[in-house]
Amino acid sequence: MSKTLGTDTATGRRSQGTLGAGDTAASASPASLRAAARRRGRAKKRLEIAVLSGPAIILFLTFVIFPVVLAAFYGFYRWKGYGAPTDWVGLDNYKLILTDPAFQEVLRHNFLILVLSLVVQGPLAIALALLLNRKIRGRSVIRVLIFVPYVVSEVIVGIGWSLMLQTNGAVNDLLEHIGLGSLEADWLSDPKLAVWTLMGIISWKYIGFAVILMLAGLQSIPDELFEAAQIDGASYWQIQRRITLPLLGPTIRIWAFLSIIGSLQLFDLVYIIWGPYISATAGTSSMAIYMVAQGRNAGNFGYGSAIAVVMFLVSLLVALVYQRFVLRRDLQGAVTEGAA
């Protein structure tokens, strides 16, 4: 009898112990389920990011990073563009670039175009945007006319302006017919005028893009700020100086960044209008034109690849410096808003 009771007592204790362990597992299962759900959620998020960004990353690596690496590799050789490169020259190509007066000259041309683009196009675009942001007759037509040159192909623009600006072209002919024959000039070949001719064509071509950006920035400024300033007695110019321009700052800085990168990579209009050789004597050549003339046209693809790498490094350095010192507060604001 005592053995039976002892057995029953032990069995009961074991049962209680078993039930206690089950209760503990049951109470812990919701936490483990939540942890598993979080892991599945993170895995799903990673998969979505990979699916959505994967094609873009592959294209970027294929058409941007890989060509840069390949150009850097070919830059260490004297290579004719066919067959495997075997004539190793090390850093000689890069040393030649940095010591070549012709490259230093085209580098100055690029930075001159960069400065002139900011100085000429920026104020003009802001003035046109302020004008077109007001309710005036024919505003939509003027906006279209300003933006049309931007969407026209560079080839069409280059050929059209090169024909009009020849010594016997439409521009000189027009000046002669309106009695301003003394102003006729060699707009394309005169080194004193060619860079200003190029600047005028660039401004005519790309001013529409800058105006559209400025108009978009103006549309984002609340009208209540202008109304409050008018009630306080502020004049039109005070409103623009104290309210419009500060709030338009992020748009201006983004446009300036795009204009800087475009100026450093200037190629198509110069190549179409002046070509790789006349541009050197006319003072309108650029790093990209120098790369084509000294690389492909000269049959020295190794040297041309080295020039391409130097162009990439110059653009990258300028972009990083601009982002560090100019776009820093805009990027900080975007990160802060995203974190909030």
Side-chain angles (χ1 to χ4, degrees):
M1 182 69 179
S2 60
K3 292 181 179 180
T4 304
L5 291 174
T7 303
D8 293 340
T9 302
T11 304
R13 290 175 179 175
R14 286 196 300 269
S15 301
Q16 290 177 358
T18 305
L19 290 174
D23 293 338
T24 304
S27 62
S29 61
S32 61
L33 290 175
R34 286 193 297 269
R38 284 195 298 269
R39 287 193 296 270
R40 288 194 297 269
R42 286 194 294 266
K44 183 179 179 182
K45 186 176 181 179
R46 294 192 188 98
L47 180 61
E48 291 176 352
I49 293 174
V51 171
L52 294 175
S53 63
I57 294 175
I58 292 174
L59 290 175
F60 181 76
L61 293 175
T62 303
F63 295 103
V64 177
I65 301 301
F66 179 70
V68 171
V69 174
L70 198 61
F73 170 75
Y74 288 139
F76 294 113
Y77 291 88
R78 185 178 291 107
W79 184 50
K80 297 297 183 180
Y82 55 87
T86 56
D87 191 0
W88 172 269
V89 295
L91 295 175
D92 289 350
N93 285 332
Y94 296 95
K95 293 178 181 178
L96 179 59
I97 293 171
L98 299 178
T99 57
D100 187 2
F103 179 78
Q104 297 172 6
E105 182 179 3
V106 298
L107 185 61
R108 287 194 297 268
H109 292 165
N110 274 106
F111 278 96
L112 176 62
I113 293 297
L114 186 155
V115 174
L116 291 177
S117 297
L118 296 179
V119 172
V120 175
Q121 295 184 45
L124 184 59
I126 294 173
L128 289 173
L130 291 174
L131 175 65
L132 296 177
N133 197 45
R134 306 179 67 179
K135 294 181 180 179
I136 59 176
R137 181 176 298 180
R139 180 175 63 175
S140 300
V141 176
I142 298 175
R143 288 181 178 180
V144 172
L145 292 177
I146 291 176
F147 189 69
V148 162
Y150 178 71
V151 299
V152 177
S153 170
E154 280 79 1
V155 175
I156 297 175
V157 171
I159 293 176
W161 279 107
S162 63
L163 293 175
M164 290 190 294
L165 292 172
Q166 292 178 359
T167 53
N168 58 348
V171 173
N172 285 338
D173 188 60
L174 176 63
L175 292 174
E176 182 179 357
H177 279 76
I178 62 177
L180 298 176
S182 60
L183 298 180
E184 294 183 27
D186 190 354
W187 305 101
L188 299 179
S189 300
D190 189 349
K192 296 180 180 179
L193 296 175
V195 66
W196 297 104
T197 300
L198 174 61
M199 195 62 241
I201 296 173
I202 291 175
S203 299
W204 177 84
K205 176 75 170 69
Y206 297 106
I207 193 68
F209 176 72
V211 171
I212 292 298
L213 281 182
M214 301 304 173
L215 283 173
L218 290 173
Q219 296 297 323
S220 64
I221 301 176
D223 294 333
E224 292 79 4
L225 297 177
F226 302 123
E227 296 172 357
Q230 290 175 350
I231 293 173
D232 290 338
S235 65
Y236 174 79
W237 294 110
Q238 288 176 332
I239 293 174
Q240 307 311 318
R241 185 164 59 92
R242 300 288 185 179
I243 298 177
T244 303
L245 290 180
L247 294 179
L248 198 61
T251 303
I252 297 175
R253 289 188 286 271
I254 289 297
W255 165 81
F257 177 74
L258 298 175
S259 180
I260 290 171
I261 297 302
S263 299
L264 293 175
Q265 299 176 351
L266 179 64
F267 172 75
D268 38 23
L269 288 176
V270 177
Y271 189 83
I272 295 168
I273 298 175
W274 283 274
Y277 302 110
I278 297 178
S279 60
T281 59
T284 58
S285 186
S286 64
M287 289 188 290
I289 297 294
Y290 177 82
M291 176 186 66
V292 172
Q294 301 296 326
R296 189 192 67 181
N297 294 352
N300 191 352
F301 285 82
Y303 186 64
S305 299
I307 299 171
V309 173
V310 173
M311 282 182 56
F312 171 78
L313 294 177
V314 170
S315 301
L316 179 63
L317 177 62
V318 172
L320 292 177
V321 171
Y322 189 88
Q323 178 179 333
R324 175 66 176 83
F325 294 101
V326 180
L327 292 180
R328 181 180 181 181
R329 53 182 173 179
D330 297 330
L331 296 175
Q332 286 178 343
V335 171
T336 303
E337 292 177 2

